[in-house]
Amino acid sequence: MTILKHLIYKEWVKTRWFASIALLLNLGVLVYIFMSLRSSFLSAGGVTYLSALLTYKTQFFSIYRYIPLGIALLVGISQFAPEITDKRIKLALHLPLHNLRIIYTMVVYGFVLLALCMIPGILIFTGLISIYLPAEITLPVLQTMLPWLLGGFCAYFLIAMIAMEPVWKFRFLYLLVSYKVLSLFFMHLPIGNAVSLLPVLCLVTCLSSIAPVYTSYRFNKGQL
Amino acid sequence: MLIKIIRIIAVLFAVTAAASVLPRLYDTTFSSRGGRGHKDIRYSEILKDFIISEYVYSSEKSHTAGQTIYYDRHGKSYSRDSVDQLFLLDNVSQLAYEGRFPDTICGMAVTPELVSSEAFSQYYSAQPGLYYGLCELRDRKSYTSRSLEPRDLFRITPEGIQFIVCETNQIDEEKSRRFTTELTRLDFRFPALRMWTSPDKSVSEAIGYYVTDSKNYLYCLSMELSTPVVQKLEKPDNKNIRNVNFGKSSDIRALLITEDGDTYIQHPDLSYTRLALPSSLGKSGTLNGNLFYRIFTLPDRNRQTTFVFDRDFRLLDSCSLYYSPRPQSTAGVFKELLLPLRIGQTAWNGFYADWSPIKRFIWFNLILTAIALYYKRKNGNRLSDAFTVTDLLLVVVFGIYGFIGIFAFPLKRSQKEIVKSKSADL
């Protein structure tokens, strides 16, 4: 247990500043979207604004699309870049714990940190937009943002997978596959149109969460 | 074992990614379309038959040129000038400008104004659009006074209809009560399953909404001088409604698609005519109208079918236009050989996975499998290992995608295999 605590502390030391930036970035963008929504709502008038939203299904929050991906990059790179420099992760993998446990302590730590960076902002945002928007619009808005959030989590798992791959040519190949997989999460869909895609995206995210096991195993065994 | 299962999942991910990227990359590098381009089909009121137009490319001395050719279903060719004379209703503006517009067409006295006023075009779909459950109800008299335009949005909940004052996001209790009472009087069972209106503001004001209640009964809900106007409607052949598209011409109030895929025209007197169309489920089409006909076009993968009805909605003729499913060019043939699977997404069909004919790619896949087998043997992977066999099967089925996948995620030999191969070396 003490080893795990130390492992988590090590992760915290590596990621704390980047996670703080990610948290502020997330909150800042969401508050900006809310201010923009409020301004448009008040200047156009409630009926006109909501009617336009319902008719044109415009994404007033589209600026948020790549924020979860950016947060995943910040957390993932800050967490795994120091580990792969000079193969420092080998030190952690030689601790008297099962390798899978060590890897998943790191990955779950990153996942929780990512969730803590994104979820509070989303909850505050939901509360704020509910002042102006009825539930029939708030819910599709969240349904539209959910693929982006899942895309953030999936990107984090794929970063972990790529980071722990020992061979550069394979890293490049994984990067190409990851790009294609992630493009599924960031398709330009009208508000609420992603509902039928959500189960697929959840499945892809779950499957990507086990990907780091494969490359970390290769990393540990020095397989080329 | 777990690592190897994860690896197989990763290989399948790589196959999916490659099958969606490589065909597009190939298409941008080599033109696999062949020597034929856009095709269209129209119904001539003069010939009483279809004329197909096709844009054909020709290459001479490395210079590519294109021209439109016209022919009918029997292969008879037509010149550009003769085609203009066969589609008088479509070319009304040009013919009137040139003073060549006839006084009669098919024995009917016509004027350019009459022909233009009868022409319309609209999309329709069996797929219901995105539905928020929140709508705006325009008063029938809105066009006379802006004060009767909506100041609220409504939803139909299990408790009744609720009008939301947009400025405050609060419920207008008084108006909600009035409408709920009127709907209840006509035996409306709350909540509503679905509501439809026309995107055309004037039609939306005049007709209001078609609403299905929780028992799937159909109602028409509108508002006049701020009072509710509710009417219970018959369903076509008592079938449940899948989607409603409102009409753009005076003889079509609405186009209703039922849950079994049948298409019905609702006339202004609220009577129905069932159209002799194939099932529309999962499809979207176009409806074009002119002085004589109502023409429905249903697109499908690699083909579209056009159905011509008279003004009483009796089917006169139909014709399918095929978009060359097999490649004509060398690049197209090689594409089917090299890239056996294409994964993508279209607005019409959602996600799709298209396979080339098996005889086109299987030999190439077997060659790739032989190469993969050679490398597996060279790396000391045993053929009795289930995961080695799975790898080879992936190459047989997915060809180059599987080949890329299994080498992108290499298969680790088991300790037993390593020891065995080392002892064999010694």
PDB file of all heavy atoms in Angstrom, chain B residues 83 141 156:
ATOM      1  N   VAL B  83     -33.179  17.284 -77.174  1.00  0.00           N
ATOM      2  CA  VAL B  83     -33.553  17.087 -75.767  1.00  0.00           C
ATOM      3  C   VAL B  83     -34.249  18.330 -75.210  1.00  0.00           C
ATOM      4  O   VAL B  83     -35.224  18.233 -74.466  1.00  0.00           O
ATOM      5  CB  VAL B  83     -32.303  16.710 -74.930  1.00  0.00           C
ATOM      6  CG1 VAL B  83     -32.577  16.853 -73.446  1.00  0.00           C
ATOM      7  CG2 VAL B  83     -31.891  15.276 -75.223  1.00  0.00           C
ATOM      8  N   LYS B 141     -53.040  33.659 -37.277  1.00  0.00           N
ATOM      9  CA  LYS B 141     -53.191  35.058 -37.714  1.00  0.00           C
ATOM     10  C   LYS B 141     -51.893  35.855 -37.550  1.00  0.00           C
ATOM     11  O   LYS B 141     -51.906  37.073 -37.587  1.00  0.00           O
ATOM     12  CB  LYS B 141     -54.308  35.746 -36.907  1.00  0.00           C
ATOM     13  CG  LYS B 141     -55.653  35.068 -37.012  1.00  0.00           C
ATOM     14  CD  LYS B 141     -56.254  35.214 -38.395  1.00  0.00           C
ATOM     15  CE  LYS B 141     -57.645  34.575 -38.433  1.00  0.00           C
ATOM     16  NZ  LYS B 141     -58.136  34.407 -39.796  1.00  0.00           N
ATOM     17  N   ILE B 156     -45.049  18.695 -24.634  1.00  0.00           N
ATOM     18  CA  ILE B 156     -46.212  17.918 -24.196  1.00  0.00           C
ATOM     19  C   ILE B 156     -45.718  16.816 -23.264  1.00  0.00           C
ATOM     20  O   ILE B 156     -45.100  15.848 -23.691  1.00  0.00           O
ATOM     21  CB  ILE B 156     -47.019  17.360 -25.382  1.00  0.00           C
ATOM     22  CG1 ILE B 156     -47.498  18.525 -26.264  1.00  0.00           C
ATOM     23  CG2 ILE B 156     -48.228  16.566 -24.876  1.00  0.00           C
ATOM     24  CD1 ILE B 156     -48.384  18.132 -27.442  1.00  0.00           C
TER      25      ILE B 156
END
